[in-house]
Amino acid sequence: MPHCEEELIIEAGKAEGTYWRDLWRYRELFYFLAWRDILVRYKQTVIGVAWSVIRPLLTMVVFTVVFGKLAQLPSGRVPYPILVFAAMLPWQFFSSALTDSANSLVANGSMLSKVYFPRMVVPASAIIVSAVDFLVSFVILGLLMGVYRFVPDWRILALPLFFALACLASFGCGLWLAALSVKYRDFRLVLPFIVQFGLYVSPVGFSSDIIPGHWRLLYSINPMVGVIDGFRWALLGGEASLYLPGTLVSLLIAVLLFLCGVRYFRSTERVLADVI
C-alpha cells in the first residue's frame, strides 16, 4: 500500500499567499498548545481548577456587599448575587482571554524564533483555556440559580451569540496587545491596569440601566457593555432589559477591534521572531 507523506516547502512569499490555509493546516499545533496550557495552568496548585471558581465567586461577594447592600443599587426582582455573577462570567472570560493571549507570544518566544508556523495560532490557543474556566464557572451560576429558584426562559438560547461577541472582542484586543508586547514590553506592565480599569467601567457590579439615557449609547462603546447586557438578558429572562442600539454599537466596536487587530498582527508578524 503506497504511503503518501505531506511535504512542506517554504518559499519566499509563499506564506503570504497561503496564510489562511496554513492556519487550518496547523490546527493540530493549535490543539496541542491549548491542551498544554490547560494542563499547566493549575499545575502544582493545591486546589487546582477550583481557582477558576473562587475568583469570580469572591468578586461577586464583594460587589454584592458594596453595590447591593451599601450603595443600595437597584437590581429589580433579580437577587443581587445572580445579577453580579451573570456579568462576572463574561468579564472573567474576557479579562483572562485578553491577558493570556496578550502574553502568549512572549511566553512562547523560544518556539517562535526556531520554526515557521502562523503566529496567530499562539494567541488563539490561549483563549481556549479561558473558555474552559468559563464552562466551570457556568456550573456555579447554575447552582446559584438553583439556590434562588431562578429559572431562565427561552432567551438562554441566545447566550452563544453573546459569548461569540466576547470571543471576538477579547481576541481582537489580544492580537493588538500580543504584537505590541513583543516590541514594547511596557504593555505587559500596563495590561493589569487596563484589565482592572475595565472591570470598574463595565457594568459588572451594577446594572447598566442606572446609566442616564443620554450617556447610554456612548457607554456602549465599551464592547463588554453589550456582552454583559446580553448575558443578563439571556440568563435573567424578562427581569433584564436589552438596550438594542447600545448592543449594536458594542457589536460594531467588537468587529472593528477584531478586524483591526488581525490587520495589525499580520503587518507585524513577519518581524516578530526577530525582535522577540
Side-chain angles (χ1 to χ4, degrees):
M1 182 177 177
H3 178 65
C4 181
E5 292 185 354
E6 192 173 356
E7 186 178 5
L8 176 63
I9 301 175
I10 302 177
E11 299 173 1
K14 183 181 179 183
E16 290 295 323
T18 63
Y19 184 81
W20 300 107
R21 198 190 313 161
D22 283 350
L23 273 180
W24 174 249
R25 291 179 59 196
Y26 281 87
R27 62 188 181 280
E28 290 186 3
L29 176 62
F30 171 80
Y31 300 144
F32 169 78
L33 292 176
W35 181 244
R36 181 204 62 181
D37 291 343
I38 290 171
L39 289 179
V40 302
R41 188 175 185 88
Y42 300 109
K43 189 177 181 182
Q44 294 182 325
T45 59
V46 177
I47 56 176
V49 74
W51 280 114
S52 65
V53 175
I54 289 176
R55 286 179 298 175
L57 208 57
L58 289 178
T59 310
M60 178 207 71
V61 172
V62 172
F63 279 8
T64 299
V65 172
V66 173
F67 292 108
K69 300 295 181 184
L70 300 180
Q72 295 286 314
L73 293 182
S75 64
R77 289 181 296 179
V78 181
Y80 217 90
I82 294 182
L83 182 83
V84 173
F85 207 83
M88 277 306 303
L89 278 180
W91 174 258
Q92 193 73 31
F93 167 76
F94 173 80
S95 61
S96 177
L98 176 64
T99 304
D100 290 347
S101 56
N103 293 326
S104 59
L105 291 182
V106 176
N108 291 280
S110 57
M111 184 171 65
L112 265 60
S113 59
K114 290 177 182 172
V115 292
Y116 164 77
F117 61 91
R119 309 309 194 202
M120 202 178 291
V121 168
V122 180
S125 65
I127 291 183
I128 300 300
V129 185
S130 304
V132 172
D133 286 347
F134 172 85
L135 292 175
V136 174
S137 298
F138 197 86
V139 175
I140 302 302
L141 177 65
L143 294 175
L144 202 59
M145 292 179 123
V147 170
Y148 285 96
R149 298 184 180 179
F150 201 95
V151 181
D153 59 14
W154 61 268
R155 292 176 179 85
I156 198 172
L157 297 175
L159 198 62
L161 297 177
F162 295 106
F163 180 70
L165 184 57
C167 290
L168 208 62
S170 58
F171 190 48
C173 296
L175 287 176
W176 273 100
L177 292 171
L180 286 169
S181 296
V182 171
K183 196 171 183 181
Y184 308 102
R185 300 299 164 91
D186 310 69
F187 281 93
R188 298 189 70 189
L189 304 175
V190 171
L191 185 57
F193 170 74
I194 295 175
V195 172
Q196 193 72 21
F197 182 74
L199 173 64
Y200 293 115
V201 299
S202 300
V204 178
F206 52 87
S207 169
S208 57
D209 290 339
I210 67 171
I211 304 297
H214 57 283
W215 289 109
R216 195 78 186 269
L217 206 57
L218 184 63
Y219 186 55
S220 301
I221 288 178
N222 175 358
M224 286 309 294
V225 172
V227 172
I228 291 171
D229 284 351
F231 262 70
R232 282 183 173 142
W233 178 79
L235 290 169
L236 307 181
E239 304 300 333
S241 61
L242 187 66
Y243 179 55
L244 192 56
T247 304
L248 293 177
V249 168
S250 295
L251 173 62
L252 180 64
I253 297 296
V255 171
L256 284 176
L257 281 172
F258 174 73
L259 294 177
C260 293
V262 170
R263 186 180 178 84
Y264 180 72
F265 190 89
R266 291 285 294 122
S267 68
T268 59
E269 189 172 7
R270 192 179 300 172
V271 297
L272 287 177
D274 297 326
V275 297
I276 200 165

